[in-house]
Amino acid sequence: SVAIKAAKAPVQRRPDYRGARGRIQQQLWTAMRSLGAFRLVELALCASTEEYPVKPRTAEEYVRRLTNAGVLHAVVPYKRAGNGRGVGAQAGVWRLKKSADTGPLAPKVFSASIVFDANRAAIVGQAEVSQ
């Protein structure tokens, strides 16, 4: 027999386990598919449930990653304020690309900086590398 020494035991979860991050991504995806065009605050509000509220910052990160992957189209580009007080900021408007609406399962954004389309079982767009 072979002894394997590991720092941590493998993670085993129940078959029905879905973490908060996955649930929130699913809620955002469902809202995107039904809204047509949307702003971040509107998306966060529509995607929120009592059990899993969605913060606008969470919606912003998911939208940014899906936009970079080519899943969403920026109808009105988002512009941050340069002075830190909100002056000059412009709310963006996004729309889900028809070709990217592959089904009801949300694209999964991993911390490894990839977007995974669960409906096609494929990576969408380019992997993002942080330095």
Side-chain angles (χ1 to χ4, degrees):
S1 86
V2 176
I4 300 174
K5 293 183 179 183
K8 293 182 179 180
V11 175
Q12 291 187 339
R13 294 189 171 125
R14 325 182 291 274
D16 62 337
Y17 174 80
R18 288 183 62 191
R21 182 177 179 163
R23 285 182 189 250
I24 288 172
Q25 287 181 4
Q26 184 63 54
Q27 289 168 201
L28 286 164
W29 178 250
T30 301
M32 286 177 194
R33 293 181 74 218
S34 64
L35 284 173
F38 55 86
R39 296 185 192 290
L40 293 174
V41 173
E42 176 186 24
L43 177 64
L45 183 63
C46 291
S48 289
T49 64
E50 194 171 304
E51 188 177 1
Y52 292 99
V54 179
K55 296 176 186 173
R57 178 69 184 108
T58 303
E60 177 185 2
E61 177 65 17
Y62 193 62
V63 165
R64 182 184 65 78
R65 297 288 296 277
L66 293 186
T67 301
N68 291 346
V71 174
L72 298 177
H73 169 69
V75 178
V76 175
Y78 173 76
K79 180 181 161 192
R80 284 187 179 262
N83 60 11
R85 293 184 305 202
V87 178
Q90 178 177 333
V93 177
W94 289 267
R95 182 183 308 275
L96 177 63
K97 291 182 178 179
K98 288 186 184 205
S99 62
D101 187 358
T102 58
L105 300 176
K108 297 175 183 178
V109 175
F110 297 102
S111 58
S113 300
I114 63 169
V115 176
F116 182 78
D117 183 340
N119 300 292
R120 294 185 302 165
I123 294 172
V124 181
Q126 297 290 324
E128 293 181 22
V129 179
S130 59
Q131 297 181 9

